[in-house]
Amino acid sequence: MTMVGVPLDHPILRARMVELSRLLAERGWVEGRNLRLTWRFSGVSEDDLARAAAEVVREKPDVIVVGSSAETAAVLEQTRQIPVLFSTASDPVGSGFVRSLERPDGNTTGFSNNDPAISEKWVELLTEIAPATRRIGVVFNPYTTPAAGKSYLARLQTSIRGEELAFEIIHVTEASQIAREITAFASKGSGGGLVFLPDSFTFRNAAACVAAAAQQRLPAIYPFDTFTLQGGLISYTGAREETAELIASYIDLILRGANVAELPVQFSRSFELVINRTAAAALGLDLPPSLRIRATRIVS
């Protein structure tokens, strides 16, 4: 059973469905023969999420795979027995999902591609591509961001110590707030830039986030390439290919009897830097050679 925070007809999700089925088949688990793999959209509201989590647990699957931290928390509210694998829980210890990364000691483990330490890299990359940045607005929904954003904010504060930078928290809890709050930040003066934290809410509203930043001519760095592919300036995150491989291998181990409490949380070993050339040009930004060389992809 897999529960995800984006609609089942989303093109990115459709590709991941095919990929997971292929990887499981390589390990001997073939749908229709010895495997039933079902998918469920968790909805767009907290009520939808809680309802979907309850329905998933009632089906008593052998393992539950979830996408974001919000989905992980919702499922763990319903069960502490069924093994739960998260694929993008960015701060599993801070969120209370596991006791430690090496030994989770519960019913959940998985993969994290945006450890809070990555916050320092986001600031570095944002100021490298937009050197005029002096004010950084940190955009997130405290109800759907891992540990309410606290771990990321702590690392961001550390990263700007001694620098001529200041940051401001921008909370967005409804889609209608996104443009309004970003506009309010932009109106406070020049030198603004945005950092978006890993957050299932902003992920679902990526187009609105990108549009608001572009309208206010604010350079922004995002935690997933979903944003850059929709016109955002730059994204930096753990490589997604590793996620699918790990989730498939952990599903295989659990179905063969492994104890989820003893499977360590895994982090990305490689990272993806994606830059949108068109967005940079619209902001009047030149791409430094150092970024061009390091970029995994440059899209337009």
Side-chain angles (χ1 to χ4, degrees), residues 4-17 39-42:
V4 293
V6 294
L8 299 185
D9 60 355
H10 194 290
I12 292 177
L13 180 59
R14 299 298 299 179
R16 291 178 186 175
M17 288 170 145
W39 297 76
R40 185 182 299 274
F41 174 43
S42 62

Side-chain angles (χ1 to χ4, degrees), residues 121-138:
K121 192 67 176 181
W122 290 331
V123 172
E124 175 191 323
L125 291 168
L126 178 62
T127 54
E128 187 172 355
I129 198 170
T133 302
R134 293 293 176 267
R135 299 184 304 114
I136 296 177
V138 187

Side-chain angles (χ1 to χ4, degrees), residues 243-285:
T243 310
E245 287 283 352
L246 178 98
I247 292 298
S249 66
Y250 271 20
I251 291 174
D252 177 50
L253 288 171
I254 291 168
L255 292 179
R256 295 182 190 279
N259 184 355
V260 66
E262 298 176 356
L263 298 176
V265 175
Q266 302 282 343
F267 284 87
S268 297
R269 294 182 295 273
S270 60
F271 294 84
E272 294 182 348
L273 172 62
V274 182
I275 303 171
N276 189 303
R277 182 188 294 108
T278 302
L283 292 169
L285 300 174

Side-chain angles (χ1 to χ4, degrees), residues 101-109 250 257-265:
L101 302 176
E102 295 77 16
R103 187 181 176 90
D105 277 356
N107 67 317
T108 185
T109 188
Y250 271 20
N259 184 355
V260 66
E262 298 176 356
L263 298 176
V265 175

Side-chain angles (χ1 to χ4, degrees), residues 9-87:
D9 60 355
H10 194 290
I12 292 177
L13 180 59
R14 299 298 299 179
R16 291 178 186 175
M17 288 170 145
V18 171
E19 183 180 29
L20 183 59
S21 294
R22 177 183 64 80
L23 291 169
L24 287 171
E26 289 177 357
R27 291 163 170 80
W29 301 103
V30 179
E31 289 188 80
R33 192 172 74 193
N34 59 0
L35 176 71
R36 183 167 66 91
L37 185 61
T38 57
W39 297 76
R40 185 182 299 274
F41 174 43
S42 62
V44 298
S45 70
E46 288 186 55
D47 288 342
D48 290 340
L49 180 55
R51 185 163 47 251
E55 291 171 356
V56 165
V57 170
R58 275 199 299 272
E59 293 185 22
K60 298 181 179 179
D62 294 308
V63 60
I64 300 172
V65 180
V66 291
S68 71
S69 294
E71 289 141 21
T72 306
V75 170
L76 291 180
E77 283 287 326
Q78 300 292 329
T79 181
R80 290 288 177 171
Q81 285 79 44
I82 299 173
V84 178
L85 297 178
F86 49 76
S87 59

